[in-house]
Amino acid sequence: MIKKIVYKNKMRKNVLLLITCLLLCLGCYVQAQESLPVRFVNTGRMAIASNKDVVALYIPHSVLMADPSAQESRVSVVQQGVTSIGGSFYQESKSNVFQVDADGWGTSTGTIIFQGDAPYGVRHIRTRAASSMEGFQRASYYVAFPNLSIATNDTIRIPGRMGVDAISVSYRSDSEKGIIYLNSDVDATGTKVFDASLRISAIGVSDAASRTSEKLVAAGSVVVERDLSIYRSNTNPLFPFASPMTNLRAGYFAGNFVRKFIEEDAYAGHVDYVLANKDENNDGWIDDDQYLRQADALFEAGKAYLIKPRPEGYDYSQLPFDQTGGMAASVYDQGKFVFDGTIYNLDKTVEQLFAGDEIFRKELAGASYNKTVNWLIGNSYTSAISIDKIYDEIVNTGLNLSSTIYIYPAGSTSYVPYSFSPSAVNIIDLSDIPSMTYFMVRLSKNKTQTGSFAINRSMQTHGKQSNNFMRSRRLYNDELIFRVSPDDNSNVYDLAAIALRDKVSGGQAKVTNPQKDAFQLYSGNKMSVAVELKGTKVVPLGFIPSANIDSYKLSVSRVESMTTEELWLEDRKTGKWVNLYETNEYAFEANADDVEERFYVHFAAQNTTGDDCSNQSPLTAYYHNDNIIIHGLHAQDMDAAIRVSDVQGRSIINTKVGNYPDETIHATLTTGVYLVHIGGNRNQVVKILAKGGTK
């Protein structure tokens, strides 16, 4: 039975009807890569009467929600009843289509049915033109569907940049088992990956027993992709992963390494080895309990995992039979994984999307621990988690938690810190934690801890960012972000930052990665973010190369924020100097024998005329890790006398120049100002500032 649309006016008299529907039956069919043309266009307000048992509106073709002009956002649907759609659903309105409350959650509780089979078996929830997806603002214009019901055998595709809400996803009958397919799409530049965002809201479902994954989402009704292709290189970084399913098996990643984390119950779930790299035998091999080795081993929702993909072009035929199941080696050599129940050497299963109320909860009452507790939290929702909501939870939890969280982004070779402190310098701009990514929260040691901390459904958002955080959103002040990548793939990277401030605070330590094939970049004294006093002349920039990569690119951003007169990058290995005000990228070769403090960043004026002019540089010196480092020495300085004295002229160290361009002198100095005199033809005095207790 088909009922006509019922309009209900809930406004006062002399006010236009709350629901105004403009239905345009187009004479020309808009194909838009769609076998069923758009014949129903809504550009205004519409209400579907409340009746759960019958279809109130039947649309046999595709639907378009579009504003009459680019400036308007009049589309507003109150969906209390049932609408059946025979084609695709196109969203081109600057609204959420269905009414939402002040917090952005849908208020309709009706049902949208995708019904009937399209000629080619594929439909879409998207904008019509593929090119328009590049600029789609899913954080603002996601579609706030009520309940979704599948009465078709078609695949309903949602592109990577699209955002969709649903109270629930169900099958209409046992005979029609179509799927909602969440794409993982690489953008046109080949530098970003967006995962389609599906937020299961459970709005209006008050019974806790009905808010489980199994009750809210029909098993097998949602398929999820995860694209790793842009991160594959001659060597691959560890790839963050959190399962979007409740029963996902490790066999999806057959032929690759899957690492898990060991949680200590005695320390409230603390993870000691945050790279899952425990090696108790010290034999250079990670212990077996840090791996999911069996193909049928299950990922747990809400947990963090690391995938170590084989390099692109790897010969999988050399793997043991029990790892490949006798399948052709080419089956495993892929950059995109599809979680649809099909695993190469296992029986097909039906995947259950995770849609529970919480992915993480810890409750403590009077507990105290003698070490910092690391909690690793996997975002198993198929939508992002709001950073603002995480901050609110940290502030209001009652527990003594660090104001810095750590994220392991896709493509990164190490954790990236993000501080909520207003004065902190953050190495990335973060608005949300993408789906299938994980992060680390730290509980302070030696504190009495009473309270709870949870990550739950209400924190979901349709994220603005790609899953590797390639985004910038704020103004900066005297700070630099350095990014190093292998020459063959700039999507694999590590980051470090230097900031100049009126006082030294807000620095963030590096979570180092001991893997031989993981290159690492750090600033200052093994920092992700080194904060130095304004007026500092030089800051070290350390680099540890991969054992498998020789060629790298070092780039710098936020240069426009700098106020120093000069800005130079010095390569201590080659002697090259690069003016960072003129170029923001530097290519170099590296190997394991290189000194870790490979680079210096200079903020003071230099006598340089090109990128290879170390022989014209004046002397600089500084105190670091109980060493005096003199820089800028020449061959003619060899054997020249070096005298270190305090400001009263008392001699502390007397030695000679034995190396160039750098001389390192071990010295345990108390806090104060010291003078370093270099004799010979140079006859120069350099002032240094020492801070005691640097180790």
Side-chain angles (χ1 to χ4, degrees):
M1 176 182 181
I2 301 175
K3 294 184 66 177
K4 64 180 180 180
I5 303 172
V6 178
Y7 300 100
K8 295 184 177 181
N9 181 12
K10 297 184 179 180
M11 303 293 287
R12 297 179 180 177
K13 291 182 179 180
N14 302 321
V15 179
L16 292 175
L17 292 176
L18 171 64
I19 312 301
T20 304
C21 180
L22 176 58
L23 304 178
L24 302 179
C25 294
L26 301 181
C28 58
Y29 298 159
V30 182
Q31 295 294 332
Q33 300 179 348
E34 169 65 50
S35 58
L36 291 173
V38 174
R39 291 188 179 179
F40 184 100
V41 181
N42 177 36
T43 61
R45 299 180 179 181
M46 182 170 66
I48 310 301
S50 178
N51 191 321
K52 309 295 184 184
D53 300 321
V54 296
V55 174
L57 176 62
Y58 174 62
I59 306 167
H61 296 280
S62 295
V63 175
L64 171 64
M65 299 291 176
D67 299 323
S69 68
Q71 289 74 37
E72 297 184 45
S73 56
R74 288 169 45 187
V75 172
S76 181
V77 178
V78 178
Q79 182 75 39
Q80 301 303 93
V82 179
T83 293
S84 178
I85 299 173
S88 292
F89 188 99
Y90 293 117
Q91 153 64 329
E92 294 181 5
S93 168
K94 290 180 171 55
S95 73
N96 302 111
V97 178
F98 300 91
Q99 282 191 346
V100 298
D101 61 20
D103 294 323
W105 296 94
T107 58
S108 296
T109 58
T111 301
I112 299 292
I113 304 174
F114 283 92
Q115 191 163 2
D117 293 339
Y120 297 101
V122 178
R123 306 187 201 180
H124 307 277
I125 301 175
R126 59 169 302 156
T127 60
R128 284 177 297 176
S131 59
S132 63
M133 286 305 306
E134 291 292 315
F136 188 78
Q137 300 180 42
R138 71 176 177 192
S140 301
Y141 307 136
Y142 57 90
V143 183
F145 282 118
N147 296 284
L148 287 180
S149 183
I150 300 172
T152 177
N153 290 306
D154 292 346
T155 295
I156 304 162
R157 283 190 172 267
I158 303 178
R161 287 181 180 266
M162 197 76 192
V164 170
D165 277 2
I167 296 174
S168 67
V169 179
S170 63
Y171 285 122
R172 205 71 174 172
S173 70
D174 292 334
S175 60
E176 294 164 311
K177 296 288 187 177
I179 56 173
I180 293 176
Y181 194 104
L182 306 184
N183 283 21
S184 182
D185 296 334
V186 179
D187 78 340
T189 68
T191 62
K192 304 175 185 177
V193 179
F194 288 87
D195 300 317
S197 181
L198 172 62
R199 191 168 66 163
I200 303 299
S201 66
I203 295 297
V205 183
S206 57
D207 179 20
S210 300
R211 295 170 64 91
T212 64
S213 299
E214 294 75 14
K215 293 291 186 180
L216 291 170
V217 181
S221 64
V222 179
V223 168
V224 181
E225 288 185 343
R226 185 63 158 159
D227 197 303
L228 294 80
S229 61
I230 70 169
Y231 310 114
R232 304 189 77 190
S233 178
N234 290 331
T235 186
N236 284 324
L238 293 168
F239 190 80
F241 183 69
S243 173
M245 307 291 182
T246 63
N247 59 337
L248 200 67
R249 296 173 294 174
Y252 279 108
F253 298 101
N256 302 294
F257 297 105
V258 180
R259 294 192 197 175
K260 65 177 181 179
F261 298 95
I262 305 300
E263 298 180 357
E264 298 181 29
D265 292 337
Y267 284 86
H270 165 70
V271 173
D272 202 22
Y273 293 89
V274 296
L275 291 166
N277 58 347
K278 178 168 65 71
D279 176 15
E280 290 186 343
N281 296 324
N282 293 318
D283 58 3
W285 294 93
I286 296 174
D287 296 347
D288 278 352
D289 63 359
Q290 302 273 255
Y291 287 102
L292 288 180
R293 290 197 178 276
Q294 301 302 317
D296 58 356
L298 297 181
F299 293 100
E300 293 184 54
K303 301 292 186 182
Y305 298 90
L306 286 168
I307 311 300
K308 177 67 175 173
R310 304 283 185 178
E312 189 172 12
Y314 177 81
D315 181 8
Y316 286 84
S317 63
Q318 64 184 288
L319 294 177
F321 181 86
D322 62 351
Q323 291 188 34
T324 64
M327 300 293 291
S330 60
V331 171
Y332 303 100
D333 194 8
Q334 58 183 320
K336 179 179 286 190
F337 296 89
V338 180
F339 308 127
D340 61 356
T342 302
I343 296 178
Y344 321 115
N345 56 353
L346 298 177
D347 293 336
K348 184 176 176 65
T349 58
V350 177
E351 297 289 9
Q352 173 62 62
L353 190 79
F354 175 78
D357 278 343
E358 295 180 334
I359 58 175
F360 182 86
R361 171 172 286 276
K362 292 292 181 182
E363 295 187 5
L364 302 176
S368 181
Y369 305 101
N370 60 5
K371 61 182 177 182
T372 300
V373 173
N374 302 320
W375 287 334
L376 300 188
I377 305 170
N379 179 14
S380 287
Y381 290 126
T382 46
S383 64
I385 298 172
S386 165
I387 279 293
D388 292 337
K389 295 291 181 65
I390 293 175
Y391 173 69
D392 290 342
E393 182 71 4
I394 288 175
V395 170
N396 298 313
T397 180
L399 300 175
N400 196 308
L401 295 168
S402 171
S403 62
T404 298
I405 64 174
Y406 293 80
I407 305 97
Y408 205 107
S412 176
T413 61
S414 64
Y415 284 86
V416 178
Y418 182 84
S419 175
F420 293 108
S421 171
S423 62
V425 177
N426 279 314
I427 204 166
I428 56 173
D429 296 317
L430 194 63
S431 61
D432 46 72
I433 305 292
S435 173
M436 293 180 279
T437 301
Y438 77 84
F439 61 104
M440 177 167 61
V441 176
R442 286 180 156 173
L443 184 74
S444 301
K445 66 179 180 180
N446 299 327
K447 302 282 187 181
T448 301
Q449 303 282 4
T450 298
S452 63
F453 179 80
I455 302 296
N456 58 42
R457 188 192 308 279
S458 69
M459 298 178 176
Q460 293 181 91
T461 185
H462 293 294
K464 301 176 183 178
Q465 298 175 286
S466 59
N467 65 25
N468 55 352
F469 306 120
M470 296 294 290
R471 182 175 177 270
S472 182
R473 63 172 181 166
R474 68 177 182 86
L475 300 175
Y476 311 105
N477 175 34
D478 272 327
E479 57 195 68
L480 299 168
I481 304 296
F482 293 90
R483 177 187 174 102
V484 67
S485 298
D487 185 58
D488 70 329
N489 191 347
S490 60
N491 296 316
V492 180
Y493 64 92
D494 198 20
L495 302 172
I498 299 173
L500 303 180
R501 296 291 184 265
D502 292 326
K503 60 180 181 179
V504 177
S505 65
Q508 299 174 30
K510 186 85 173 182
V511 178
T512 56
N513 188 340
Q515 288 184 196
K516 292 181 179 180
D517 58 351
F519 58 86
Q520 298 169 77
L521 187 69
Y522 63 85
S523 54
N525 185 17
K526 292 287 179 75
M527 302 292 284
S528 279
V529 179
V531 178
E532 306 288 346
L533 284 173
K534 287 186 176 181
T536 297
K537 294 183 178 181
V538 61
V539 176
L541 190 66
F543 180 68
I544 302 173
S546 164
N548 302 325
I549 304 176
D550 298 323
S551 301
Y552 298 89
K553 292 180 292 187
L554 181 67
S555 60
V556 60
S557 58
R558 305 184 188 177
V559 174
E560 69 282 358
S561 76
M562 298 302 296
T563 58
T564 56
E565 182 181 350
E566 301 284 342
L567 184 59
W568 293 86
L569 175 74
E570 178 194 0
D571 186 338
R572 297 175 64 198
K573 180 178 180 178
T574 64
K576 289 185 177 181
W577 289 65
V578 179
N579 188 337
L580 296 179
Y581 279 139
E582 295 180 356
T583 182
N584 64 355
E585 191 168 277
Y586 175 65
F588 65 98
E589 303 289 318
N591 58 59
D593 296 330
D594 296 345
V595 62
E596 274 195 28
E597 290 186 356
R598 168 74 183 262
F599 303 100
Y600 288 151
V601 181
H602 295 266
F603 302 99
Q606 306 293 327
N607 286 327
T608 54
T609 57
D611 69 350
D612 190 4
C613 39
S614 60
N615 289 336
Q616 302 178 31
S617 63
L619 289 184
T620 58
Y622 63 95
Y623 185 65
H624 179 65
N625 274 5
D626 290 346
N627 288 298
I628 298 170
I629 295 97
I630 305 169
H631 179 65
L633 295 163
H634 304 159
Q636 58 265 35
D637 292 315
M638 290 294 289
D639 294 324
I642 300 175
R643 176 174 175 265
V644 180
S645 64
D646 60 20
V647 290
Q648 281 76 39
R650 290 173 295 195
S651 182
I652 297 173
I653 296 173
N654 288 283
T655 186
K656 291 183 178 182
V657 175
N659 297 284
Y660 71 92
D662 297 329
E663 178 69 71
T664 300
I665 305 168
H666 180 72
T668 303
L669 303 177
T670 58
T671 300
V673 176
Y674 296 84
L675 303 176
V676 180
H677 180 268
I678 297 90
N681 293 330
R682 183 179 293 275
N683 195 25
Q684 183 176 345
V685 177
V686 183
K687 185 185 298 184
I688 63 172
L689 173 64
K691 297 178 181 179
T694 57
K695 281 192 174 180

